[in-house]
């Protein structure tokens, strides 16, 4: 699911309220009639041109369109009554899986207080059920059927979450004497969950009302209880559509048996958007209960619910999951492949010949060591970006490499516009059009290697709680407070003349992981290759006088340790020994340092999630009543909505998963390049050969102007001679899948997720060649055409892929599996339910990108395309339709997904079952012939 | 009699038998088929950071089975608190509920019958350190338990202290301040460490307790009391993150082994009761926990909890003293936000990680659970409301420690430490944890020939073991070489690989009278497998014992086939129930109910295919021959 947008803390300045005394009139036509299909692009940032001024060219320079692009099934619905000016656009409403969709709107009253709980905002939720006609005549799912109210149960530092007034399922009904109405949750299976009180399982827990809901909790809910409308009347949110797997209470895409005597049924599902206005209107013109708390009560109160916008959602049928209990085939390695693998594995296991696969993300170093180390419990296949050192490979062993996935490392960000004081703006004025954009997310930023170096070296003043006294920290006193104030950053991101950063570590550093990786090594290579960055790290101030934190300097003369840091590194050290302690903290409390101010994350994925929810995980506040224990600090919690500022180092797929924007990085040609398809493909073309033939190395130093410098290609590596036959078959089959249909972009299981680019044909052929080598146990069979260098002592896949026009069919293909490039074998897949490998595209490198971007070069969130479109535009339309349409895209025909064809396997079965099945099949085929003959006689 | 009649007469018994068989087959196969169509509702958990790296991996793994699991590593104390508040479906904790906390934190009072413990993974709590000598990172540091205790109680403050030099004869430790790094949050690692301190270094701990103002509350604690000069960080990630910094030179902090591996840092080789300095490799942890006493008292507040005192003092040379288990706290009644539907998911998830998921434990830095704990754990899972009890049977469990004869296969093949890891004048230069690079050591030094063996342990298996193991069922057999494979992966039985395997004994034999005697060539003995504790005994009684220099596995004369680990060993006594002892697993060898079921299922499948044409034929015949 997308990161949970926690409610912002109520703290923060409140703008004076503007009287909006329009009487509430409940208009009543919603539902299907109100749905307007649109095909054109909507939600693109309309330029607000006002009186020309000195700063007009800066307005929205960084863009504000953070929505996903519209698909064929995009829908725009207008509000009713007091919200009739509002138009809500949902970018995709059919062929849905568990994915992110965009909900954008225009024409709203601006939220009174973006940073806190206020008036005029939007609540978004997913519901199930046949449409019912409300008292006012409007249609849609009943309010009880909506997944909402769990965010308010967020557990914060030892106490249950604050129950924010409008994020709950109860309300006080003004029309019925202020009676409190609890709205239970009606689950799709017929059960109803009331607000309950239960402490019987914990004798120390005081009796208090809890809404303990088995269907969803604050971890799993996809509700958005508070989405602001900005001053320009627009708003935009990413919403995660949940299937029955994620939200069993809704059961979308999942057949659920409601009554014992009825057949299971797939429920109708809805996206429900509830605009909230100011509280006096919501309370029928009466004053609210608490003037300071803004909108109150559940969105389910009739007066509010009447204005809901209900959009039907059509899901793809759920794929049958893998059968639990089968022995898994293990692969370990790069985090860069982890998102792809988690989307591939549910399809991979559908093959009757495969074991299910298991992927454990490890640092590339550990993955390399496990391949040759013969360590206990090692996996037979490792995934790495850089090849193994040939010297580390035992004599006689040969490592086969197969390209698996093309992706990139990114600086993901979540930055919202905080305006400068007009006095600080050029010309002493912030243009009105810019004011209209306040608190909106930035679409793109540009970063130079030196800026990234600054962010990784704790060199901004606000890397510290306060710059320490003393000469040792004199270097910091003239440095900018944070990156938003850095003239270099402003130069490359001119809108920041009008924007400011707040206070905190988010603006002063990058959220990073503790582990090492080859991708991180590439990041430092990129920094090292930049003369500006190198000089600055060595101690030379930048043109504006900013200096490196000496603890990170590459110069032994500057670095207090008398030893410069060596570049490139494969991790992110936090070298400054700074420590502080809050004055009021007890003596038993530990002092805090850099790892507390901007803590490490466990993985790229965790870093992306932290960026999405704008929660750095820092715990620096001493709070005696709330501390977790005798020496606990309380978590600082997420940043306040409206002025979030978080940057992280993560992988493109994780950034896409969590809807992060991605920075454009300046390459060695001096161009700022976003990780678009074209730029990543150019990055691939710029890669250089490694010491191991057939394995390419990332080239962050490339001077190709189009290349994204942090392009990464990950390889599967295996030593065929160390593997038994079964594992060789499994790994070979995996590689065929990965080089085949696994390269088709999409969000459905088995597809290549956004954040990855399909491998070009040469690399896919190379992977197929490697799969044949692994399949054959280290060398290909005698009847096949061998790659020239194949042999026990050389790297088998060293053949330059371009030398062969059709390498794959030449290799022995296991009898059970369709040949990767032979269309005639496709029909076999129906019996075996193997994921049919999509044919490699017939054109070479540079195929039209299948994943379109909202704005090329914008670094916006990766497009999550409608699966139907993904098929039609897949690399080889004709053949793809023969293989892919058979099952994967079956929304119109209703045919089962390919995994549904899977033959359930007994997890412990030795070959008995297949043999018996084979005999049976033979008998079944022969039986009619025999019988006919006999009858004829 | 017409032809048709004759045919029918002839066929009737056959058809009747077919139908009967089909009915029986369907009835038997039904439970198997049921597992194929399972759907699961999402569940959420919170707790231990020590176990986080394993739980998080499993959480992702089961996505392909249609399960959606959430897990937040917020510390064991927080996990237990959330479980009690009903805001999480399960908790992960390294220690049980604290009914009577001895450190001043509020008591936890779960209602009896509302929860059960289930061990989920084993591992070592390590002391990850950051130390250099002349700019060269030290990777082979060794410490006795007493010295570790002194460091973490403020009694040992400089690395050049002579008592540390005694541990490290091969190193000239620098004059540098020791900076102990502990956990700032409520932590199961802290609790395990404090239990060890109380049991093994009681006086130091009690003195310390008084000094930090906790006199009278000196028992187990999840909150480490600190002195000025100590550093406390949140979570394993915080401690590992701190220690790995360049400014943290001289620091030493306790974390789960996996964090040191991820950070690429070395860990202290800790002195065990046998006089060897060890680190918690998956093998060593498995050996160590053989002596863990698992409480069989059926009271839920005690059942399956661990008493590790036996581990602390175990005299197997491979033992890592701070080995322990982490636990799931399972709900045993519908409570809070927990429901029966969630119980089904929890059961399936548990089955996954107790069986298949344990295979990746070593990759991640943990050690797989032994058979008996998997069985006992799955019995605990059966108490969870809504669990599909059929689907959590131990049959078919792909746990890597399961072996045909019921032994913990990790224990069977765990290599013995190198001679230079024994307390004495010699010190190995081989690295540890996530830093495998060798550290130069002063003479006398063990020959470097031993170094590669450390990272490429040989896995001896019992004779015939390879034949009866499920083929290709995981890492144990994946690593088995092809016949005639390269020397580094061939088994001793192949008789190759005798080069560079000589271990020169540089220490006087009298220094380790109790240790196994080593011979010099590893190819000199047949397949032999001896359990941890029986090894020294055999070595002592055998006139001409033969030991493998790599695995350390020793045999009596002529390679006695001591395959009955522990059970036949006279030394295995002491009055306690050693439940962590590996136990035979019925049904995994030979013909058992599983196999019968499989054949029946196969026959059913055959019938499914055969019946329609047969029936069609019959019908057809009726039509064509009226």
């Amino acid at each position: 699911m997308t990161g949970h947008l926690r409610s912002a803390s109520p703290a923060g300045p409140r703008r004076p309220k503007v009287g909006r005394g329009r009487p509430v009139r409940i208009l009543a036509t919603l539902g299907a009639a109100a749905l307007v299909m649109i095909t054109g692009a909507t939600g693109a940032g309309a330029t607000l041109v006002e009186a020309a001024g000195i700063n007009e060219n800066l307005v929205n320079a960084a863009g504000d369109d953070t929505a996903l692009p519209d698909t064929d099934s995009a829908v725009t619905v207008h509000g009713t009554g007091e919200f009739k000016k509002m138009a809500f656009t949902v970018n995709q409403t059919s062929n849905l899986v568990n994915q992110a969709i965009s909900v954008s709107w225009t024409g709203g009253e601006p939220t009174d207080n973006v940073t806190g709980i206020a008036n005029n905002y939007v609540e978004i939720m997913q519901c199930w059920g046949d449409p019912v006609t409300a008292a006012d005549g409007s249609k849609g799912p009943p309010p009880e059927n909506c997944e909402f109210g769990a965010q308010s149960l967020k557990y914060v530092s030892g106490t249950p979450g604050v129950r924010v007034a409008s994020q709950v399922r109860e309300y006080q009904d003004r029309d019925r004497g202020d009676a409190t109405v609890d709205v239970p949750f009606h689950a799709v299976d017929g059960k109803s969950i009331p607000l309950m009180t239960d402490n019987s399982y914990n004798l120390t827990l005081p009796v208090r009302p809890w809404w303990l809901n088995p269907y969803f909790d604050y971890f799993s809910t996809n509700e958005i209880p508070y989405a602001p409308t900005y001053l320009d009347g627009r708003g935009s949110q990413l919403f995660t559509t949940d299937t029955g797997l994620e939200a069993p209470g809704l059961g979308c895409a999942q057949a659920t048996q409601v009554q014992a005597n009825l057949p299971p049924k797939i429920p109708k599902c809805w996206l429900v958007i509830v605009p909230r206005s100011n509280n006096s209107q919501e309370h029928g013109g009466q004053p609210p209960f608490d003037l300071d708390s803004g909108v109150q009560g559940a969105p389910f109160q009739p007066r509010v619910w009447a204005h809901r916008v209900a959009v039907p959602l059509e899901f793809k049928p759920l794929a049958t999951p893998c059968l639990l209990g089968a022995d898994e085939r293990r692969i370990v390695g790069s985090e860069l492949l982890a998102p792809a693998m988690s989307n591939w594995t549910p399809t991979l296991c559908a093959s009757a010949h495969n074991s299910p696969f298991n992927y454990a993300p490890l640092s590339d170093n550990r993955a390399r060591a496990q391949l040759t180390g013969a360590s206990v419990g090692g996996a037979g296949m490792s995934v790495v970006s850089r090849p193994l050192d040939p010297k580390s490979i035992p004599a006689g062993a040969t490592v086969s490499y197969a390209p698996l996935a093309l992706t990139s490392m990114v600086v993901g960000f979540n930055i919202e516009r905080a305006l400068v004081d007009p006095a600080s703006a050029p010309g002493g004025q912030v243009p009105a059009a810019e004011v209209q954009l306040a608190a909106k997310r930035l679409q793109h930023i540009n970063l130079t290697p030196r800026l990234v170096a600054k962010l990784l070296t704790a060199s901004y003043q606000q890397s510290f709680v306060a710059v320490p006294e003393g000469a040792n920290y004199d270097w910091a006193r003239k440095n900018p407070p944070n990156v938003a104030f850095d003239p270099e950053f402003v130069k490359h991101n001119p809108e920041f003349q009008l924007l400011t950063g707040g206070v905190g570590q988010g603006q002063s550093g990058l959220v990073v992981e503790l582990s090492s990786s080859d991708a991180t090594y590439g990041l430092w290579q990129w920094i090292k290759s930049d003369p500006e960055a190198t000089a600055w790290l060595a101690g030379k101030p930048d043109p504006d006088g900013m200096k490196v934190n000496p603890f990170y300097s590459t110069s032994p003369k500057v670095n207090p340790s008398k030893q410069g840091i060596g570049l490139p590194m494969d991790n992110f050290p936090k070298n400054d020994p700074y420590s502080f302690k809050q004055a009021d903290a007890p003596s038993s409390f530990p002092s805090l340092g850099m790892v507390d101010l901007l803590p490490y994350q466990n993985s790229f994925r965790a870093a992306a999630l932290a960026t999405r929810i704008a929660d750095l995980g820092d715990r620096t506040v001493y709070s005696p009543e709330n501390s977790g224990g005798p020496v606990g600090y309380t978590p600082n919690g997420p940043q306040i909505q409206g002025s979030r500022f978080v940057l992280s180092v993560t992988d493109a797929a994780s950034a896409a998963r969590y809807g992060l924007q991605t920075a454009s990085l300046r390459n060695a040609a001096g161009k700022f390049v976003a990780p678009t398809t074209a730029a990543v493909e150019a990055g691939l073309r710029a890669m250089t050969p490694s010491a191991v033939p057939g394995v390419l190395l990332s080239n962050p130093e490339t001077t190709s102007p189009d290349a994204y410098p942090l392009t990464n290609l990950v390889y599967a590596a295996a030593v065929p001679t160390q593997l038994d036959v079964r594992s060789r078959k499994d790994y070979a089959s995996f590689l065929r899948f990965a080089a085949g249909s696994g390269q088709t972009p999409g969000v459905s299981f088995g597809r290549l997720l956004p954040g990855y680019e399909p491998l070009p044909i040469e690399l896919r052929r190379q992977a197929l060649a490697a799969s044949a080598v692994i399949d054959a146990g280290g060398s290909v069979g005698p009847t096949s055409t061998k790659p020239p260098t194949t042999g026990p002592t050389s790297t088998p896949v060293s053949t330059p892929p371009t030398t062969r026009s059709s390498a794959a069919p030449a290799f022995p293909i296991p009898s059970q599996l369709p040949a990767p490039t032979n269309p005639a074998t496709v029909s076999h897949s129906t019996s075996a339910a193997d994921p049919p490998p999509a044919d490699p595209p017939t054109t070479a490198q540079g195929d039209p990108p299948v994943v379109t971007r909202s704005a090329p070069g914008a670094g916006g969130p990766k497009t999550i395309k409608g699966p139907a479109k993904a098929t039609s535009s897949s690399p080889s339309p004709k053949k793809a339709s023969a293989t892919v349409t058979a099952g994967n895209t079956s929304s119109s025909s209703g045919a089962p997904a390919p995994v549904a064809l899977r033959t359930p396997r007994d997890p412990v079965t030795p070959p008995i079952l297949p043999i018996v099945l084979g005999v049976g099949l033979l008998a079944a085929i022969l039986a009619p012939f025999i019988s006919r003959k006999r009858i004829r006689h | 009699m017409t032809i048709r009649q004759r045919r029918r007469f002839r066929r009737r018994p056959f058809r009747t038998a077919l139908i009967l068989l089909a009915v029986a087959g369907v009835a038997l196969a039904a439970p198997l088929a049921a597992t194929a169509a399972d759907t699961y509702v999402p569940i959420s958990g919170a707790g231990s950071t020590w176990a986080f790296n394993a739980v998080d991996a499993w959480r992702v793994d089961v996505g392909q089975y249609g399960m959606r699991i959430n897990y937040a590593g917020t510390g064991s104390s927080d996990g237990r608190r959330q479980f009690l508040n009903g805001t999480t479906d399960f908790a992960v904790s390294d220690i049980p509920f604290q009914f009577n906390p001895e450190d001043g934190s509020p008591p936890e009072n779960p209602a009896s019958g509302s929860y059960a413990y289930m061990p989920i993974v084993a591992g070592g709590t390590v002391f990850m350190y950051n130390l250099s000598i002349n700019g060269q990172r030290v990777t082979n540091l060794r410490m006795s338990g007493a010295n570790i205790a002194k460091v973490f109680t403020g009694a040992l403050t400089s690395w050049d202290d002579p008592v540390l030099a005694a541990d490290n004869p091969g190193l000239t430790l620098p004059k540098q301040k020791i900076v102990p790094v502990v956990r700032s949050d409520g932590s199961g690692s802290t609790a395990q460490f404090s239990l060890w301190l109380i049991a093994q270094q009681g006086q130091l701990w009690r003195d310390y307790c008084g000094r930090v103002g906790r006199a009278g509350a000196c028992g187990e604690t999840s909150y480490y009391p600190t002195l000025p000069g100590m550093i406390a960080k949140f979570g394993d990630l915080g401690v590992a993150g701190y220690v790995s910094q360049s400014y943290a030179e001289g620091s030493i902090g306790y974390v789960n082994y996996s964090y040191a591996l991820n950070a690429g840092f070395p860990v202290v080789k800790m002195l065990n009761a046998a006089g060897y300095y060890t680190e918690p490799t998956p093998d060593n942890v498995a050996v160590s926990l053989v002596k863990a006493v698992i409480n069989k008292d059926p009271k839920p507040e005690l059942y399956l909890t661990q008493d590790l005192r036996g581990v602390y003092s175990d005299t197997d040379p491979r033992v890592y003293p701070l080995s322990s288990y982490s636990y799931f706290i399972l709900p045993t009644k519908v409570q809070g936000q927990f429901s029966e539907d969630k119980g089904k998911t929890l059961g399936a998830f548990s089955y996954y990680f107790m069986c298949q998921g344990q295979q990746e434990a070593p990759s991640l830095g943990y050690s797989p659970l032994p058979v008996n704990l998997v069985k006992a754990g799955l019995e605990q899972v059966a108490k969870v409301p809504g669990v599909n009890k059929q689907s959590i049977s131990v049959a078919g469990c792909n746990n890597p420690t399961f072996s045909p004869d019921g032994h913990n296969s990790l224990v069977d093949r765990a290599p013995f430490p190198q001679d230079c890891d024994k307390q004495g004048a010699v010190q190995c230069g081989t690295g540890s944890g996530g830093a495998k690079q060798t550290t130069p050591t002063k003479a006398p030094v063990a020959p470097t020939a031993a170094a590669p063996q450390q990272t490429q342990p040989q896995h001896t298996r019992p004779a015939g073991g390879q034949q009866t193991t499920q083929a290709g069922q995981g890492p144990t057999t994946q690593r088995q070489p092809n016949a005639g494979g390269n020397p580094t992966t061939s088994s001793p039985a192949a008789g190759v690989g005798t080069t560079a395997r000589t271990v020169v004994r540089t220490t006087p034999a009298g220094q380790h009278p109790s240790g196994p005697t080593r011979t010099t060539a590893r190819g000199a003995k047949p397949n032999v497998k001896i359990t941890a504790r029986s090894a020294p005994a055999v070595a002592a009684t055998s006139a001409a014992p033969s030991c493998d220099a790599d695995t350390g596995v020793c045999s009596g004369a002529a390679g006695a086939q001591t395959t009955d680990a522990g059970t036949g060993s006279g030394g295995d006594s002491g009055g306690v129930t050693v439940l962590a002892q590996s136990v035979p697993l019925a049904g995994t060898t030979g013909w058992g109910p599983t196999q019968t079921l499989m054949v029946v299922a196969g026959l059913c499948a055959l019938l499914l295919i055969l019946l329609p044409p047969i029936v069609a034929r019959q019908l057809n015949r009726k039509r064509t021959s009226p």
Side-chain angles (χ1 to χ4, degrees), chain A residues 720-724 728 777, chain B residues 480-486 489-490:
Chain A
T721 49
Q722 289 181 353
L723 302 172
D724 61 28
R728 288 206 311 269
Chain B
Q480 292 302 322
N482 295 340
N486 68 70
T489 53
S490 61

Side-chain angles (χ1 to χ4, degrees), chain A residues 607-631:
Chain A
L609 176 58
T611 310
R612 171 65 180 171
I613 63 176
D615 188 344
L616 307 176
D618 44 343
R619 294 169 176 253
T620 57
V621 179
Y622 164 64
S623 167
E625 66 276 8
N626 245 351
S627 66
V631 293

Side-chain angles (χ1 to χ4, degrees), chain A residues 155 201-202 205, chain B residues 44 46 77-92 97 110 114-116 328-333 335-336 338 346:
Chain A
Y155 173 97
Y201 54 89
N202 178 359
L205 197 69
Chain B
S44 304
S77 297
D78 188 70
R80 296 193 304 275
R81 190 161 42 217
Q82 289 210 44
F83 183 86
L84 289 176
N85 285 347
T87 52
T88 188
D89 300 315
F90 63 89
V92 182
F97 280 116
S114 69
Y115 68 97
F328 255 42
I329 297 175
L330 300 165
T332 54
K333 54 180 270 199
Q335 57 195 16
F338 182 74
L346 189 48

